[in-house]
Amino acid sequence: FLTLLFAVGIVEWKEYKDADDLPEELSAEDATETSNEKAESIAVNAPVPVQILRNPLFYLAVGFGISLGMGMASKINAAAMALLLPFAFFVRWLMYDRKKKLGTEYWSQVLVLLIVGGIATILSFRVFQPYAFDGIGLNAQWVKNISEQRAQASGTADLPWNLQWIRRTHLYSFENLTIWGLGLPLGILAWAGFLWMGWRILKGEHKHLLLWGWTAFYFAWQSMQFNPTMRYQLPIYPLLAMMAAWILFELAGTNISIEKRSTLRKVSATALGLLILTLTAVWAFAFQSIYLRAEPRIAASLWMFENAPSGINVLI
């Protein structure tokens, strides 16, 4: 999620829009053509490496790579988040730059930032996952272990515990996540927020695209796996909870002016939020209470110890 936060930073960082917004140490001569030029135009006479180092997006890309490498060191599947870096720059272009006449310098800087993020990822992974390496190259035993794990998870390896997944549908992950992972009260609200946010993106609100797109991609990816266990969806739980909260704020009318905001809307959204929060807590308590009771086979064994006569051998 630190990686995701850096990606959001890349999308949301806004450059100096007007000459009046420039820091005092930057004179009007530093801006070119018009007062509405973005920060790419500032210090245009400086060498390209200097321009890149002065760009806050450079440090966001480095932070993205470092945190991604740490995530991959914990679980190699986190490598899929590498897609978020180019996706973040795409969303950024979609929101701010697509209507501008962009030269090769713009795309060259984006390419350099992508490369910087990739290098930071590799270095971070090398530091935080030393078992994966043998000197500079990869550790053959580590690669073999990862391959074995992938074979077990994909069903290629014929293992007894994999038989449970043969007749599962691709909705299995969705069903378990909604009913047990989030609980129906929060689950229904979260998916409603997901669908509504998707509709708003189609209507042109591209600011939601990064988080919504990652949630949709990751959920679909894990749902299509051979063993779509509920725990594999854990990385999108906070995002779904965020979408549940977002839809409450939308219902309250926080996206419209205070003068036009209805008190009834605010009270209704607040009441709904409190209701969902309470029901989710009750649902979680009811779910975990299963583990406060003895599992049937253990309970039967305890009954035998307490009631069956001693000195008898049970032969099977």
Side-chain angles (χ1 to χ4, degrees):
F1 268 81
L2 183 60
T3 308
L4 190 62
L5 183 62
F6 279 114
V8 171
I10 290 173
V11 171
E12 292 193 341
W13 181 73
K14 296 182 180 179
E15 299 152 321
Y16 308 112
K17 294 183 178 180
D18 300 306
D20 295 336
D21 296 332
L22 296 176
E24 293 180 1
E25 63 269 16
L26 297 175
S27 64
E29 295 177 356
D30 292 323
T32 60
E33 299 179 2
T34 69
S35 61
N36 290 327
E37 285 296 327
K38 301 283 187 173
E40 292 94 310
S41 303
I42 298 173
V44 70
N45 295 324
V48 173
V50 175
Q51 293 183 45
I52 293 175
L53 288 174
R54 287 181 178 180
N55 193 337
L57 295 178
F58 171 83
Y59 300 99
L60 290 169
V62 171
F64 179 95
I66 292 174
S67 54
L68 176 58
M70 294 169 67
M72 290 169 56
S74 302
K75 186 172 177 63
I76 193 63
N77 284 356
M81 289 199 81
L83 297 173
L84 277 180
L85 189 58
F87 190 44
F89 281 105
F90 168 74
V91 176
R92 180 178 180 80
W93 169 83
L94 201 62
M95 291 176 61
Y96 305 127
D97 301 326
R98 62 173 173 160
K99 294 183 180 179
K100 298 165 56 180
K101 294 181 179 180
L102 303 173
T104 55
E105 182 181 352
Y106 175 90
W107 297 111
S108 298
Q109 288 195 14
V110 171
L111 179 60
V112 169
L113 292 173
L114 291 175
I115 294 174
V116 165
I119 294 175
T121 301
I122 294 172
L123 293 177
S124 175
F125 182 70
R126 177 63 183 86
V127 170
F128 292 103
Q129 180 50 285
Y131 300 108
F133 294 88
D134 184 7
I136 298 178
L138 290 174
N139 184 339
Q141 184 59 49
W142 180 84
V143 174
K144 182 180 178 181
N145 292 343
I146 293 296
S147 299
E148 290 178 356
Q149 292 173 13
R150 290 181 60 85
Q152 294 176 16
S154 64
T156 304
D158 188 14
L159 300 169
W161 57 84
N162 273 342
L163 297 178
Q164 63 177 306
W165 302 112
I166 293 176
R167 295 183 180 179
R168 305 291 188 190
T169 70
H170 293 304
L171 294 176
Y172 179 82
S173 187
F174 166 78
E175 178 184 349
N176 279 268
L177 183 152
T178 306
I179 297 177
W180 308 117
L182 294 173
L184 275 180
L186 179 58
I188 292 173
L189 187 65
W191 286 117
F194 176 83
L195 295 175
W196 193 357
M197 188 176 285
W199 172 250
R200 295 283 282 271
I201 292 172
L202 292 177
K203 299 290 285 185
E205 294 187 19
H206 299 127
K207 63 182 180 179
H208 307 301
L209 188 56
L210 182 74
L211 297 181
W212 188 92
W214 170 250
T215 304
F217 165 78
Y218 194 88
F219 172 74
W221 176 37
Q222 293 302 323
S223 295
M224 298 299 291
Q225 296 299 307
F226 174 76
N227 56 343
T229 57
M230 185 172 65
R231 70 178 185 272
Y232 291 167
Q233 298 287 4
L234 281 175
I236 63 170
Y237 274 49
L239 291 172
L240 290 172
M242 180 206 70
M243 292 175 188
W246 173 81
I247 196 173
L248 291 175
F249 279 90
E250 291 296 306
L251 292 173
T254 55
N255 59 329
I256 60 179
S257 61
I258 297 178
E259 296 79 11
K260 297 180 180 180
R261 200 176 299 169
S262 168
T263 303
L264 179 60
R265 291 184 61 171
K266 292 190 292 183
V267 172
S268 300
T270 302
L272 179 60
L274 291 173
L275 178 63
I276 295 297
L277 189 62
T278 302
L279 290 177
T280 299
V282 172
W283 195 280
F285 175 78
F287 176 75
Q288 66 87 30
S289 66
I290 296 172
Y291 302 100
L292 299 179
R293 298 189 294 273
E295 196 268 341
R297 288 170 292 184
I298 295 177
S301 298
L302 293 176
W303 184 91
M304 289 177 63
F305 292 146
E306 293 175 357
N307 296 278
S310 60
I312 294 178
N313 293 324
V314 180
L315 300 179
I316 300 178

